[in-house]
Amino acid sequence: MILGAALLPLPMAAEKYVPSAEVMKSREEFANDRFGIFLHWGIYSMFGQGEWYLNYGPLHSEYSKAAKGFYPADFDAGEWADAIKDSGAKYICFTTRHHDGFSMFHTAQNDYNIVDGTPFKRDVLKELADSCADRGLKLHLYYSHLDWGRQDYPQGRTGHTTGRDSTVNDWKSYYKFMNSQLTELLTNYGPIRAIWFDGWWDHDEDKTPFDWELPEQYALIHRLQPGCLVGNNHHQTPFEGEDIQIFERDVPGENTAGLSGQEVSKLPLETCQTMNGMWGYKVVDTNYKDTPALIRYLVKTAGLGANLLLNIGPQPDGELPATALERLRDMGKWLRENGETIYGTEGSPFAAQNWGTATRKGDRLFIHILNAEGTDIHIPAALKVKAAKEFASGSKVKFSSDKNGVTLHLAQKPEAIDHIVELTLKK
Ligand code: GLC
């Protein structure tokens, strides 16, 4: 035994995070919600080339001039919240400060923000927070760990072309700045259900060891709002102190976009995905996924026990794009009829099949047939089925069981976006 070892302070990372009762309640609420809307809005929206535009070449000194011209005349937080509420989403996640470093809320840490730095002078986050609270929508805040403008931010993998003096590199000052902003966000805008970090990957741990000092930052969040969840889009298995696990552009367990591959944890899960291609508004990006594709994606994530955080890039004038509004309306219509099989459910007890997946609520198992090849649907699970009926009409569905599982015998090949059969399982 090393003499005096007992007197040494424990390193932060070794301290075990014990989630509070408030956090556990938020986690449960979050997992029941299943559907949220992501909003990427900032001065980058003005260039109409997505939220990474600054990284692709313009000098920060030129780019930042856009702030002085930012006047989203048609912005109406109530209209956004109405459209989102009507879509069946239960929460929003709003970009308070993206990688370009512009704050979409009133911060006292610098003038590069929506109130002090633009002619608009309105705290859009405050307006959104109030509109969400009025309608019972929960509020999550996206916050970028990296910054392509500030000189004190230690240069990472990205943002090398912005003309920033990267020799300054004052982590202490930058860390203090972030924590002061987080304190503002968690003090001035009412209950925040989650802080959603992004940008950790700018300092790839294996190549350039970098200490983001996350435990202390996470503890600050939990101290300021004991029910606030911490999530980090770092594409790794969750770190100590985190409350949800985030997947980007892929459902948990898949890796078609090349950003995943991490283990799926036991924490509540969330997949973020775009309605079209880019997160921030991009003029040429009109390639919206159609309504059936979005609904099926929602069902697929729910089948994996995960939430879908579906993104919209609002326009520079403050409006949500017309196609996005149409998709919100259509998803709302579908969820009003079928939401019972999505909200508050658990994932499927069997792996996703070519024909679809399932969600579960107690002894009710909802079979979601998304893509049937015929009238027989084979469920590869030893289920003890008491009854089977069409979810929409309530009419009985024939089924048979053998040692390989249960087979549903439908009257005709389903053509719906999602044909749902409800099974009642024996206790
Ligand atoms: C990526 C991008 C970022 C976007 C985020 C959303 O990390 O850097 O622009 O905000 O994904 O998931």
Side-chain angles (χ1 to χ4, degrees):
M1 192 187 143
I2 305 166
L3 253 178
L7 298 174
L8 292 174
L10 277 176
M12 286 296 280
E15 273 172 26
K16 190 105 181 75
Y17 166 55
V18 183
S20 65
E22 289 94 332
V23 156
M24 291 310 283
K25 191 167 161 267
S26 297
R27 285 186 187 182
E28 193 185 331
E29 255 182 37
F30 169 82
N32 283 335
D33 284 355
R34 282 293 176 261
F35 181 35
I37 293 294
F38 213 169
L39 295 161
H40 273 72
W41 200 39
I43 59 168
Y44 46 78
S45 312
M46 293 181 76
F47 298 100
Q49 309 212 41
E51 79 290 357
W52 270 63
Y53 180 54
L54 174 58
N55 179 66
Y56 301 137
L59 289 178
H60 191 272
S61 53
E62 291 303 305
Y63 174 94
S64 57
K65 289 178 185 167
K68 289 265 166 59
F70 193 46
Y71 195 94
D74 295 331
F75 173 69
D76 182 332
E79 275 177 17
W80 285 18
D82 280 339
I84 291 167
K85 178 83 184 178
D86 184 56
S87 76
K90 303 291 188 191
Y91 62 98
I92 70 166
C93 184
F94 181 70
T95 47
T96 58
R97 175 174 147 277
H98 208 273
H99 310 333
D100 68 352
F102 183 81
S103 299
M104 291 294 280
F105 65 103
H106 195 200
T107 176
Q109 310 314 314
N110 61 26
D111 288 344
Y112 198 42
N113 70 70
I114 185 84
V115 175
D116 301 315
T118 76
F120 198 53
K121 298 193 186 310
R122 278 161 53 186
D123 189 342
V124 296
L125 178 60
K126 182 81 185 75
E127 295 180 21
L128 262 179
D130 292 345
S131 299
C132 284
D134 286 349
R135 291 158 183 81
L137 287 167
K138 293 286 187 297
L139 183 59
H140 297 188
L141 304 181
Y142 170 107
Y143 191 81
S144 173
H145 266 135
L146 74 89
D147 193 303
W148 290 327
R150 288 180 65 94
Q151 298 193 348
D152 54 1
Y153 173 68
Q155 179 81 60
R157 285 199 278 126
T158 64
H160 288 253
T161 51
T162 67
R164 187 176 67 101
D165 179 0
S166 54
T167 58
V168 178
N169 182 351
D170 183 351
W171 166 251
K172 265 210 170 109
S173 144
Y174 182 67
Y175 188 61
K176 189 166 163 246
F177 160 77
M178 284 196 295
N179 290 342
S180 305
Q181 283 212 316
L182 288 165
T183 303
E184 294 173 336
L185 290 171
L186 289 158
T187 311
N188 302 336
Y189 299 93
I192 304 301
R193 196 175 60 185
I195 297 288
W196 205 103
F197 286 113
D198 186 29
W200 175 93
W201 35 258
D202 201 36
H203 288 275
D204 203 321
E205 282 235 281
D206 337 340
K207 290 172 208 138
T208 36
F210 186 85
D211 185 4
W212 284 100
E213 297 186 60
L214 295 178
E216 207 182 314
Q217 193 164 65
Y218 292 175
L220 170 75
I221 294 168
H222 287 134
R223 200 161 58 239
L224 289 167
Q225 290 206 21
C228 184
L229 304 172
V230 173
N232 193 330
N233 184 33
H234 44 43
H235 312 146
Q236 313 286 309
T237 40
F239 302 156
E240 202 66 34
E242 293 173 6
D243 300 300
I244 60 172
Q245 184 176 12
I246 299 167
F247 295 82
E248 181 175 340
R249 292 184 188 268
D250 261 306
V251 296
E254 285 188 4
N255 188 14
T256 59
L259 298 165
S260 305
Q262 69 276 50
E263 246 174 71
V264 181
S265 76
K266 292 249 177 327
L267 291 179
L269 311 172
E270 181 184 69
T271 280
C272 59
Q273 183 56 277
T274 53
M275 270 196 192
N276 44 355
M278 201 67 198
W279 303 96
Y281 178 65
K282 189 171 176 184
V283 193
V284 295
D285 186 6
T286 51
N287 192 17
Y288 277 78
K289 296 162 188 78
D290 61 18
T291 302
L294 292 176
I295 289 172
R296 288 178 178 141
Y297 205 79
L298 173 66
V299 172
K300 193 173 165 182
T301 48
L304 288 163
N307 288 11
L308 174 62
L309 179 62
L310 184 60
N311 182 74
I312 298 173
Q315 296 168 176
D317 62 359
E319 299 240 39
L320 302 181
T323 315
L325 285 169
E326 204 181 297
R327 295 293 181 275
L328 290 178
R329 267 194 302 273
D330 291 349
M331 292 186 82
K333 187 168 175 290
W334 188 85
L335 275 163
R336 274 190 292 281
E337 285 159 20
N338 303 292
E340 203 183 331
T341 71
I342 301 292
Y343 304 123
T345 58
E346 289 171 63
S348 170
F350 54 89
Q353 302 294 300
N354 285 338
W355 53 258
T357 185
T359 52
R360 185 170 48 171
K361 222 179 230 175
D363 63 352
R364 301 167 78 195
L365 186 68
F366 304 106
I367 304 296
H368 297 271
I369 304 163
L370 306 171
N371 174 34
E373 266 162 25
T375 52
D376 277 6
I377 300 295
H378 180 68
I379 304 163
L383 305 167
K384 294 206 167 65
V385 180
K386 201 154 83 182
K389 62 176 186 195
E390 308 276 354
F391 177 75
S393 66
S395 56
K396 273 197 177 169
V397 170
K398 287 193 189 129
F399 66 94
S400 57
S401 311
D402 61 28
K403 63 175 187 347
N404 297 320
V406 177
T407 304
L408 305 178
H409 308 288
L410 305 173
Q412 48 201 317
K413 186 179 158 212
E415 303 292 347
I417 294 175
D418 176 11
H419 184 88
I420 307 170
V421 174
E422 177 176 344
L423 305 183
T424 308
L425 304 177
K426 289 181 190 150
K427 292 259 155 62

